[in-house]
Amino acid sequence: MEIVRDAPQLDRYITDAVQVSGDSPVLLDSYLSGAVEVDVDALSDGTHTHVAGIMQHIEEAGVHSGDSACSLPPYSLPPAIVAELRAQTITLAKALNVVGLMNVQFAVKDNQIYLIEVNPRASRTVPFVAKAVRAPIAAIAARLMAGAQLADFTLPDPQINGFAVKEAVLPFARFPGVDTLLSPEMRSTGEVMGYDSTFPRAFLKAQMGAGSDQPYKGKVFLSIKPTDKTDQLRETAQILHDLGFEIVATRGTADFVHAAGLPAETVNKVYEGRPNIVDVMKNGEIALVMNTTEGAQAVEDSRSMRNVALMDKIPYFTTMAASHAAALALKARVDGEVGVRALQV
C-alpha cells in the first residue's frame, strides 16, 4: 500500500504492484489529505448498541491505524462531532445487525465525517479500550454472541476521567536502512499506553513507555513540508522557544519561524552542501527532530537524516500532529514530576 501524489509515482507503483500481484487487480482509492482519523469500538446485541470507546488518531489519515498514536477520549474534536460519531456508529450496528464487537473507522475533515470502513469483529484496539475504560470488552462480546443481552452487563461511559494515549512501538532499530517515515503499511510490533489527567501528560507517558526519552534542553531541528506550515507549526515553535530550546531549521521552515517573530538558526539540507543537518546531528548538537516531508525526491533527500536520528537515538517525529503533541507534552512536563497513576482510580 502506498500514497501516490503524481504521475511518475503512479507509473513506478503500477510497475512494482503488477510484479507482486500478477493477474490480481490493483485498487486505487482517492486520498483525503489532512483529515483526522477516528477509531470506534462498539458492542451490540442485535437490538441495542453500546459505544465502548472513541479514539482520535494523533497522526492524520494516511498513516496505518496500527502505527498511529491515538487518544481516548478524543483530545481536540468538538463535542458535536464526537456525538455524531457515536450516533453514526449506533446506526451502523443496527443496520448491519451486528451481534458482538464492531469496529468503525471514520475520517473527519472540515467538520465533515467520512466513513472509511466497518468491521463486524474485534479490532486491534480492543485491548487498549478495555484497559482504558476498565471493562472486559472481549468477554462481554463473547457472551453477547452466545445469546446474552447488553442489559445484562454494567457498561462504563467511554468518556473516562482523564486521557489514555496509545503509542505504537516500531522495530526500525532492528532493520538498519529502513526509512522511518510512517505510511499506509503497518510496521509496529507492539504498543504502550500512557494514562494521566490531561492529554499532553498522557502523551508524554506514552512516549516514555515506547522508549523515546524527550529532552529537557538543547537544539530542536525543524524541517516541515509546505502544507504543514500552519498555525499548528507556529504554536509548536512558540512552545519550544518558550521552554528554552534553540530552533534549527532548513531555509523554508526557518523563514516561517522568523515570520512568526521567533529566532531560528538556518542549516543546509543534505543536498545543499556541507555542513548540513546530518553533519550537525552526527556532532551531537541536535536533541530532537521534527521532520515532515512529501514527494518521492524530498523523501529520498531527507532519508539519511532520519536514519541518523534512529541510530543515534535522537527522538524524532515525522508528522506535524505528533510534533505538536510532543511540544504540548514537553510544556506539560514543567507542571510537575511525572508519576504513576493507577488505572483503578
Side-chain angles (χ1 to χ4, degrees), residues 143-204:
R143 295 278 299 277
L144 295 175
M145 294 171 73
Q149 301 297 305
L150 273 176
D152 300 335
F153 304 96
T154 300
L155 298 167
D157 190 329
Q159 189 70 30
I160 63 174
N161 182 26
F163 288 84
V165 172
K166 183 208 83 173
E167 181 58 279
V169 177
L170 298 153
F172 293 130
R174 296 177 182 270
F175 301 96
V178 173
D179 200 345
T180 59
L181 275 181
L182 299 178
S183 74
E185 290 188 336
M186 181 176 170
R187 299 178 181 180
S188 66
T189 53
E191 59 189 38
V192 297
M193 186 172 89
Y195 179 72
D196 212 299
S197 58
T198 66
F199 167 74
R201 288 179 71 84
F203 183 83
L204 177 62

Side-chain angles (χ1 to χ4, degrees), residues 16 65 111 317:
D16 293 343
S65 59
N111 289 322
F317 297 92

Side-chain angles (χ1 to χ4, degrees), residues 55-77:
M55 294 147 282
Q56 177 183 349
H57 291 212
I58 294 170
E59 282 78 14
E60 61 268 17
V63 173
H64 194 287
S65 59
D67 287 352
S68 178
C70 69
S71 170
L72 188 161
Y75 69 99
S76 69
L77 292 176

Side-chain angles (χ1 to χ4, degrees), residues 74-108:
Y75 69 99
S76 69
L77 292 176
I81 291 292
V82 175
E84 181 61 23
L85 291 168
R86 184 178 184 279
Q88 289 195 21
T89 299
I90 292 171
T91 300
L92 286 165
K94 186 173 182 179
L96 295 172
N97 194 31
V98 172
V99 177
L101 274 162
M102 182 181 79
N103 173 261
V104 189
Q105 293 180 19
F106 295 100
V108 180

Side-chain angles (χ1 to χ4, degrees), residues 2 19 43-44 71 77 88 136-137 153 162 235 252 290 304 317:
E2 187 174 326
Q19 292 176 357
L43 291 162
S44 181
S71 170
L77 292 176
Q88 289 195 21
I137 304 300
F153 304 96
E235 183 180 353
M290 296 178 174
S304 59
F317 297 92

